[in-house]
C-alpha cells in the first residue's frame, strides 16, 4: 500500500465513518479475510453479495415494540431463540430479547438507578451492550462480561445521560455481527427531568415513534439467508423497520417525532422524505440540540448512529421516508448508491393538533455559578443549582465563564 508523508505532523480527527471507509479500503486492497471483517464483525455464511434492495409493498402496519421502564425496580431481559414471520408471512429462525426478534424499548430517567438482569437462554454465550450509555466498564456488556448459556448477568448503574435515543445489542467476541443479524437489539430512551421543553411530540407509539432500520436477506424458504458473502460485511435486500418489511405508520398528529436508529450491520442510509419535504433534527446520537432544531432535507446515517427528527404533515397526506442516492465518498459500497423506500407515513383524514414547533434554543435548567473573588489559596465557592463546591487557586477570579479553572 503506498505510503504518504506530510511535511509536518498533523492532528487528525478519526470519525466512525472514516474508520469504516478505511476498513473497506483494506479489504479491497487484499488485506481481506477475517482481519478486514473484524472491524464490523466476523463473516458468516448468510447475506447477499451486493447492496441492492428488493421493493416491498409499503402497507404493513409498523410494529411498535412495548416500552419497559428501567428504573425503580429490576427489569428482566431474556435473550432467546424463536421464529418470526417476515416477507409473505413466512417464518424464519431468529433471536430476540423477551421475544423472537428485537426487544422492548427501555425507558430510563437521568439520575435513576438502573437494574437489569439479562438471562441467556441461547445455546451460545452472549453479552448485552448499552450503546451510548455512560456506564462503569464492568457494566458495559463487552466481551469481558460474557453471559454463558443458562446464566444471568446483573447490570447495575446510575443513569447520568441527558435525554436522547440509544440502543442495546450483544457484543460477544467473534459473534457480534451474527447475533445482531439474527435480531438481538432494542432501543433505549433517556428522559431528563431537567429537560423543561414540552414542545416536542412525546407520546410513545402515537407521535413519538421508534424507527429501528435494518436490512436482512432471506432465502427461498423465507429463512434468514445462509449463502453468499460480501467483502465489506453483511447486506440484506429487504428493509425492515422494527422488524416490519414494507412498513407503514398511520399518523394521527400534526407533528411526529421519529427516533431513528440504524441497526444494520453494514448498510448506510441517506434518508429523505418524498417530494423533498424538509424535516427538523432535534437530536443526534450525542443528545438534544439545545441550540435549537436544524432543518434538513437529507440525513446520512451510518450503522449504530441515531437521529431524532420531527415531521410535520397535513390531514390526508402521504409521505415516504426513503434512502436516496448519495455522492458521499465510499457511500455506494455501503448501500447509498440506489433509491429505495424505508417507511411510509400515512396521515389520517383529520389530525389532532400538536404544539407549535420550537424555533428557539430548547429550554433547559442552567447551572449558574455565583461570581466570587478569591483572596487566596483555599477559598471556596458554591454552585447554587447543584450544591457543588470547589476550591479556587490563589489569585483566581471565578466567573461562570472561567468556572472550569476552579476544578468544579
Amino acid at each position: 500500500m503506498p505510503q504518504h508523508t506530510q511535511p509536518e505532523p498533523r492532528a487528525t480527527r478519526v470519525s466512525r465513518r472514516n474508520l469504516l471507509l478505511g476498513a473497506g479500503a483494506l479489504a479491497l486492497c487484499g488485506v481481506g479475510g477475517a482481519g478486514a471483517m473484524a472491524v464490523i464483525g466476523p463473516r458468516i455464511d448468510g447475506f447477499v453479495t451486493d447492496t441492492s434492495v428488493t421493493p416491498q409493498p409499503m402497507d404493513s402496519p409498523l410494529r411498535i415494540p412495548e416500552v419497559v421502564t428501567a428504573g425503580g425496580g429490576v427489569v428482566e431481559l431474556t435473550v432467546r431463540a424463536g421464529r418470526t414471520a417476515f416477507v409473505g408471512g413466512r417464518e424464519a429462525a431468529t433471536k430476540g430479547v423477551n421475544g423472537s426478534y428485537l426487544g422492548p424499548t427501555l425507558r430510563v430517567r437521568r439520575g435513576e438507578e438502573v437494574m437489569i438482569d439479562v438471562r441467556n437462554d441461547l445455546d451460545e454465550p452472549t453479552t448485552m451492550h448499552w450503546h451510548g450509555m455512560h456506564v462503569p466498564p464492568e457494566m458495559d456488556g463487552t466481551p469481558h462480561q460474557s453471559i454463558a448459556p443458562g446464566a444471568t448477568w446483573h447490570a447495575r448503574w446510575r443513569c447520568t445521560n441527558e435525554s436522547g435515543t440509544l440502543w442495546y445489542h450483544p457484543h460477544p467476541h467473534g459473534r457480534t455481527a451474527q447475533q445482531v443479524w439474527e435480531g438481538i437489539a432494542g432501543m433505549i430512551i433517556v428522559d431528563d427531568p431537567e429537560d423543561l421543553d414540552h414542545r416536542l411530540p412525546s407520546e410513545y407509539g402515537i407521535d413519538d415513534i421508534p424507527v429501528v432500520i435494518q436490512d436482512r436477506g432471506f432465502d427461498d424458504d423465507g429463512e434468514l439467508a445462509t449463502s453468499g458473502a460480501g467483502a465489506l460485511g453483511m447486506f440484506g435486500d429487504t428493509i425492515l423497520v422494527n422488524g416490519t418489511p414494507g412498513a407503514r405508520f398511520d399518523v394521527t398528529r400534526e407533528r411526529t417525532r421519529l427516533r431513528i436508529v440504524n441497526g444494520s450491520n453494514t448498510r448506510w442510509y441517506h434518508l429523505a422524505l418524498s417530494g423533498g419535504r424538509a424535516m427538523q433534527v432535534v437530536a443526534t446520537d450525542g443528545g438534544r440540540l439545545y441550540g435549537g432544531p436544524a432543518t434538513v432535507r437529507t440525513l446520512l446515517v451510518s450503522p449504530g448512529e441515531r437521529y431524532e427528527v420531527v415531521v410535520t404533515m397535513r390531514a390526508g397526506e402521504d409521505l415516504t421516508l426513503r434512502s436516496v442516492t448519495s455522492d458521499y465518498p465510499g457511500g455506494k459500497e455501503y448501500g447509498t448508491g440506489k433509491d429505495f423506500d424505508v417507511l411510509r407515513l400515512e396521515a389520517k383524514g383529520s389530525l389532532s393538533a400538536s404544539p407549535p414547533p420550537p424555533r428557539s434554543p430548547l429550554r433547559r435548567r442552567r447551572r449558574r455559578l455565583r461570581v466570587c473573588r478569591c483572596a487566596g489559596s483555599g477559598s471556596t465557592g458554591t454552585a447554587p443549582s447543584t450544591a457543588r463546591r470547589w476550591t479556587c487557586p490563589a489569585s483566581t477570579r471565578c466567573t461562570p465563564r472561567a468556572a472550569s479553572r476552579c476544578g468544579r
Side-chain angles (χ1 to χ4, degrees):
M1 191 177 290
Q3 300 296 316
H4 300 278
T5 59
Q6 306 237 2
E8 294 180 1
R10 218 175 138 182
T12 302
R13 179 179 179 272
V14 180
S15 67
R16 176 169 56 232
R17 292 186 180 95
N18 288 336
L19 181 62
L20 286 170
L21 285 172
L26 288 174
L28 294 174
C29 289
V31 176
M37 290 299 295
V39 176
I40 50 178
R43 179 178 300 182
I44 66 170
D45 293 332
F47 40 90
V48 298
T49 57
D50 59 29
T51 63
S52 61
V53 169
T54 301
Q56 300 289 332
M58 305 298 290
D59 56 7
S60 298
L62 176 67
R63 173 181 172 266
I64 303 295
E66 69 167 324
V67 63
V68 174
T69 301
V74 177
V75 171
E76 296 182 354
L77 300 181
T78 301
V79 184
R80 62 181 64 157
R83 296 191 66 81
T84 305
F86 292 106
V87 180
R90 292 176 296 179
E91 291 188 345
T94 55
K95 294 181 173 70
V97 181
N98 291 5
S100 64
Y101 191 80
L102 296 181
T105 295
L106 302 180
R107 193 146 205 164
V108 304
R109 286 172 62 87
R110 176 181 170 90
E112 285 189 333
E113 188 73 21
V114 179
M115 298 179 288
I116 302 178
D117 289 350
V118 183
R119 176 176 172 80
N120 180 12
D121 276 357
L122 303 177
D123 58 3
E124 62 175 330
T126 190
T127 76
M128 194 59 71
H129 171 63
W130 323 106
H131 193 123
M133 187 70 73
H134 302 158
V135 296
E138 64 273 15
M139 298 297 162
D140 201 27
T142 69
H144 299 287
Q145 289 87 44
S146 181
I147 311 171
T152 298
W153 178 53
H154 307 284
R156 304 288 188 271
W157 74 89
R158 185 171 296 278
C159 178
T160 60
N161 287 68
E162 295 185 352
S163 58
T165 299
L166 294 69
W167 69 307
Y168 61 93
H169 60 82
H171 226 314
H173 178 66
R175 299 286 286 177
T176 298
Q178 180 164 347
Q179 290 190 4
V180 172
W181 176 262
E182 293 174 329
I184 306 175
M187 180 174 289
I188 304 174
I189 296 176
V190 177
D191 298 311
D192 188 345
E194 293 189 0
D195 188 344
L196 303 178
D197 192 286
H198 302 288
R199 293 172 292 178
L200 294 176
S202 58
E203 189 171 350
Y204 181 83
I206 303 298
D207 60 1
D208 188 355
I209 310 302
V211 179
V212 180
I213 307 173
Q214 300 171 305
D215 61 336
R216 294 294 181 262
F218 300 92
D219 63 21
D220 292 340
D221 295 323
E223 298 284 350
L224 285 171
T226 56
S227 63
L232 299 180
M234 303 178 179
F235 286 99
D237 63 350
T238 301
I239 302 300
L240 308 177
V241 178
N242 301 345
T244 309
R248 184 200 77 239
F249 178 71
D250 294 333
V251 175
T252 59
R253 304 277 174 86
E254 291 176 341
R255 299 171 61 242
T256 303
R257 183 194 328 203
L258 305 179
R259 296 181 182 263
I260 298 170
V261 175
N262 183 352
S264 301
N265 288 63
T266 310
R267 185 183 294 275
W268 297 10
Y269 299 90
H270 190 218
L271 298 177
L273 291 172
S274 55
R277 175 72 60 85
M279 48 190 164
Q280 287 187 311
V281 178
V282 296
T284 69
D285 50 12
R288 292 280 293 277
L289 300 182
Y290 287 103
T295 300
V296 303
R297 298 189 185 279
T298 60
L299 283 175
L300 185 63
V301 190
S302 60
E305 200 167 11
R306 288 93 64 202
Y307 282 96
E308 294 178 29
V309 303
V310 174
V311 178
T312 301
M313 298 184 67
R314 297 181 296 271
E317 195 171 26
D318 202 328
L319 292 177
T320 301
L321 184 66
R322 315 190 69 228
S323 183
V324 298
T325 303
S326 168
D327 58 0
Y328 190 86
K332 292 183 179 179
E333 287 78 7
Y334 287 97
T336 63
K338 299 177 182 178
D339 296 359
F340 53 86
D341 295 340
V342 174
L343 172 66
R344 180 182 170 194
L345 302 172
E346 185 176 19
K348 294 295 186 179
S350 62
L351 300 178
S352 299
S354 298
R359 298 181 181 275
S360 58
L362 304 179
R363 293 182 293 122
R364 178 178 171 79
R365 187 176 301 145
R366 293 182 179 273
R367 298 184 175 183
R368 296 187 180 277
L369 301 178
R370 180 185 304 159
V371 177
C372 65
R373 288 179 171 82
C374 305
S377 179
S379 297
T380 61
T382 302
S385 64
T386 60
R388 293 184 181 177
R389 297 181 66 84
W390 67 88
T391 299
C392 301
S395 303
T396 300
R397 186 182 299 272
C398 297
T399 65
R401 179 175 296 179
S404 61
R405 292 172 14 210
C406 297
R408 69 178 178 90

